[in-house]
Amino acid sequence: MIGVLNVTPDSFSDGGRYVRRSDAVQHGIEMREQGADLVDIGGESTRPGAERVDADTEVSRVLPVIRELAAAGVPLSIDTTRASVAAAAIEAGAAVVNDVSGGLADPAMAKVVADAGCPWILMHWRGHSRQMQDLATYHDVVAEVRAELAQRVDQALAAGVRPDRLVIDPGLGFAKKAEHNWQLTQRLGELLTLGYPVLFAASRKSYLGALLAGPDGSPRPADQREAATIATSVLAVAAGAWGVRVHDVRGTVDALKVWAASGAPRLAG
Ligand SMILES: Nc1nc2ncc(COP(=O)(O)O)nc2c(=O)[nH]1
């Protein structure tokens, strides 16, 4: 269970809520108390079309929060595509690197991770926020995402990262249209055949808003997508996902407790 902590002014669903350090630290502690195994701290919005920020800005946003949460004993991941930011975050107390580019954005990332010996979440990605939706074209999205993630894994292993440190992630909403996200959800088992834990991160994403659109076609607002997020998270875990990355930790923990108490039924496929 990974709780999302975006210390950015412009993330798609919670931008600006945790820019102030005290608010961010308090929310991180709250998510840990609600059952998050990791709090994922991001200093640069990755939503489609987001403006990039420089490394100094990203570091200035995340380091103070990482230091305070690490001191409070909260296990942390750093959500960054920059090796320099990952290195600084590890130094400050982050235990996991969550790289939405899967190592593509910064060739130096693999060495930082290999040297640190820390877990590395490799997400499927086809480019930065400004052009990624132009790259959402697939013949078979699951087969292609699987093949591209396999390349990311091979490059990580070649750089000396240990296999047991790798987690893969289909990158829902990154260079993917709604139908691609649903295909990846329905055929999650095919990603599992790569032999690595799969992280499923659908929380509040726009394809859920589209599914829940109103009679006039307007998408459900991001902060009203929690039930859909929880439902898809439980289904992903039932299909074999290693973990989920969510904004609403408490609700997701509650739902997974119900799933477990119900015998933890598994989805085939
Ligand atoms: N591993 C991983 N990390 C991510 N970081 C940010 C976002 C963008 O959404 P946010 O605003 O919820 O952070 N999505 C992912 C994701 O799908 N997988």
Side-chain angles (χ1 to χ4, degrees):
M1 172 71 60
I2 298 179
V4 177
L5 182 56
N6 289 317
V7 288
T8 58
D10 58 343
S11 286
F12 83 95
S13 78
D14 56 0
R17 283 187 60 185
Y18 307 110
V19 171
R20 202 163 52 174
R21 187 193 322 178
S22 56
D23 294 338
V25 170
Q26 183 188 339
H27 188 55
I29 290 170
E30 269 169 11
M31 288 194 287
R32 176 62 173 162
E33 288 170 349
Q34 291 170 356
D37 299 300
L38 270 180
V39 170
D40 187 36
I41 299 182
E44 178 181 40
S45 174
T46 54
R47 64 171 170 68
E51 286 295 325
R52 296 228 59 197
V53 297
D54 63 25
D56 289 345
T57 303
E58 196 180 349
V59 166
S60 67
R61 288 175 176 173
V62 298
L63 279 203
V65 178
I66 289 174
R67 288 198 184 96
E68 276 202 53
L69 284 175
V74 177
L76 304 167
S77 55
I78 175 67
D79 187 344
T80 186
T81 61
R82 291 188 169 109
S84 61
V85 175
I90 292 165
E91 175 68 29
V96 175
V97 173
N98 174 24
D99 179 354
V100 299
S101 80
L104 284 174
D106 190 336
M109 182 69 91
K111 183 171 182 350
V112 167
V113 170
D115 291 350
C118 66
W120 190 9
I121 300 170
L122 301 171
M123 195 190 82
H124 177 263
W125 188 79
R126 282 187 165 179
H128 283 291
S129 302
R130 300 197 65 73
Q131 79 271 5
M132 66 176 164
Q133 291 311 82
D134 302 337
L135 301 168
T137 54
Y138 302 88
H139 174 65
D140 175 345
V141 62
V142 178
E144 291 171 63
V145 166
R146 186 184 184 282
E148 291 169 31
L149 280 172
Q151 291 167 355
R152 301 285 73 73
V153 165
D154 289 346
Q155 288 190 322
L157 298 175
V161 178
R162 285 170 35 189
D164 66 351
R165 290 285 186 265
L166 294 177
V167 173
I168 59 176
D169 176 331
L172 300 177
F174 288 80
K176 303 202 180 61
K177 297 185 176 81
E179 65 269 20
H180 299 138
N181 297 323
W182 291 118
Q183 279 289 315
L184 288 160
T185 304
Q186 292 161 22
R187 295 165 54 191
L188 195 66
E190 293 175 46
L191 297 184
L192 287 167
T193 62
L194 277 176
Y196 292 88
V198 172
L199 177 66
F200 187 83
S203 192
R204 300 182 182 172
K205 288 190 173 173
S206 56
Y207 78 106
L208 297 177
L211 177 74
L212 305 172
D216 62 354
S218 60
R220 179 75 65 80
D223 61 357
Q224 297 172 30
R225 300 171 188 165
E226 289 308 354
T229 298
I230 288 171
T232 196
S233 295
V234 172
L235 289 168
V237 170
W242 160 82
V244 291
R245 178 182 177 278
V246 298
H247 298 82
D248 177 8
V249 170
R250 185 183 183 87
T252 309
V253 166
D254 290 355
L256 289 172
K257 281 182 178 173
V258 170
W259 172 74
S262 307
R266 290 284 172 193
L267 290 177

